[in-house]
Amino acid sequence: MIYSRAASGDAEALACVEHLDGEPLSFMTERAAVRLRELAGVAVVLPTTTRTIEQYRRIALPGGPFRYAVTSNGGNLLVDGEPDGAWRAAAGRDAAAGGAGLAEVRAELLRRIDDSWVLKFREADELFCYLVVNVAAMPAGFLADWDGWCRAHGWSASQQGRKIYAMPVAVCKSVAVAEVRRRLLDDGVLRPEAPLFAAGDGALDAELLASADFAVRPRHGELEELGWSSPNLVLTESRGADAGAEMVEWFHTGVRASAATAAKRLAG
C-alpha cells in the first residue's frame, strides 16, 4: 500500500503517510489515501505487515486508527495499538518449537556476510532478523544458499528489494489474520460468510494470499519475480504506487459485490 518516493515512479499526486526523524519517508497516491479512508468506513481493514511494532507505528494510514493490526509478520497482534502479550508469547513458543533459535540463526548469518555488500544487520522484535544490502554487490547464489540452510532449520529466507529476511516458518501472517477473524466473528462484527480479501507482493505474503477468499498482488515485487500465482489471485495492471491505488479500488469492488450478494440472500 505504501512506497518510497523513488518506488512511486510516475504515480499521480502523492500523500505522505510515514515520517522518520521528521523527514518524509513513505507515500500513497492521494487517490489511494482517499479511497482507503472510505474503505475503512464500510469494511474491516486489517493492516498486516512484516514491519516491527516500532516501524508500523511510524505510519499514519488513512482511515485509522484500526482496532487490530498484525505486525512482525504475524508475530505480534496489536489491539487498539498495543501488543497482545499472550499472542506474542505463543508466537515465540511456536517459533522455538519449529526449529533453530534466533541466536543460532544470527550466528550462522553473520558467518556468511561481510561489509562489502551488507549495509545493515537488524534483529526485529526478538523474533527474526534481516539485512539491508547492496543488491549489485551481493554474491551470486547467496539467497538460494541461505534459504537452503534456513529451511533445513525451520526458517525461510526472502528478499524484498534491498532487504533480506530470515523468518521462522512458524511465524506467518495468515495465522494472525485468522485469529483476528475469529475474534471479530465472536464479537459479532463479522458474519460467518463474510469473505477475506488480501493483498501482498512478497514471498512472506504468499500463505496469506493463498488462504484468502480473494487475493490481489501488484505486477512488481518478489512474487512477480517468482511468477507466483494462486487460483484465487488477480493481478494489477499497474506497478508502483499506482498499483497500490488500484488494489484499494479492487477492495472496494469486492466489498460492494459481497454486500450485494448478502442482500440477495436476505431478500430470498
Side-chain angles (χ1 to χ4, degrees):
M1 292 292 103
I2 68 175
Y3 299 83
S4 68
R5 188 180 294 277
S8 298
D10 297 326
E12 57 187 60
L14 298 174
C16 183
V17 294
E18 179 185 12
H19 290 81
L20 178 61
D21 298 329
E23 296 297 322
L25 185 63
S26 298
F27 302 83
M28 307 176 74
T29 69
E30 290 184 355
R31 178 165 62 94
V34 169
R35 295 295 277 159
L36 183 57
R37 185 176 294 108
E38 293 171 350
L39 183 67
V42 297
V44 176
V45 174
L46 174 60
T48 304
T49 180
T50 304
R51 283 171 173 247
T52 64
I53 295 172
E54 179 184 0
Q55 291 168 338
Y56 171 74
R57 285 174 171 165
R58 296 197 305 245
I59 307 170
L61 282 177
F66 301 97
R67 169 69 169 157
Y68 293 104
V70 172
T71 72
S72 317
N73 205 56
N76 278 301
L77 178 57
L78 305 187
V79 184
D80 294 324
E82 296 301 320
D84 183 318
W87 179 262
R88 171 62 182 84
R93 290 193 298 270
D94 290 345
L102 179 58
E104 181 181 353
V105 174
R106 176 181 63 243
E108 179 63 24
L109 178 56
L110 292 177
R111 188 182 68 80
R112 293 168 176 257
I113 63 176
D114 62 64
D115 292 342
S116 67
W117 58 279
V118 174
L119 307 178
K120 295 178 184 177
F121 165 83
R122 293 287 186 270
E123 293 185 11
D125 289 340
E126 300 180 346
L127 274 171
F128 61 95
C129 56
Y130 65 92
L131 306 174
V132 180
V133 305
N134 178 341
V135 176
M138 186 171 71
F142 167 79
L143 182 61
D145 290 344
W146 175 230
D147 184 53
W149 185 94
C150 285
R151 291 189 182 278
H153 293 79
W155 288 57
S156 68
S158 171
Q159 181 175 359
Q160 298 183 32
R162 298 191 305 145
K163 291 184 178 179
I164 296 177
Y165 292 92
M167 187 73 62
V169 172
V171 177
C172 61
K173 295 172 182 173
S174 61
V175 175
V177 170
E179 171 64 14
V180 173
R181 180 180 175 82
R182 183 193 66 77
R183 296 186 189 190
L184 293 172
L185 287 169
D186 288 348
D187 292 342
V189 176
L190 289 182
R191 306 182 311 275
E193 67 273 16
L196 171 65
F197 300 89
D201 64 359
L204 293 175
D205 300 318
E207 187 172 338
L208 173 61
L209 296 179
S211 68
D213 296 289
F214 305 97
V216 62
R217 70 167 175 83
R219 291 186 182 274
H220 65 250
E222 188 179 20
L223 292 180
E224 174 71 7
E225 293 173 3
L226 293 171
W228 186 87
S229 189
S230 179
N232 64 338
L233 181 74
V234 299
L235 305 181
T236 64
E237 295 182 0
S238 51
R239 300 169 181 263
D242 284 336
E246 189 178 338
M247 288 187 285
V248 177
E249 290 296 340
W250 178 86
F251 282 127
H252 273 278
T253 299
V255 169
R256 288 195 301 269
S258 176
T261 299
K264 289 180 180 179
R265 186 180 297 114
L266 291 172

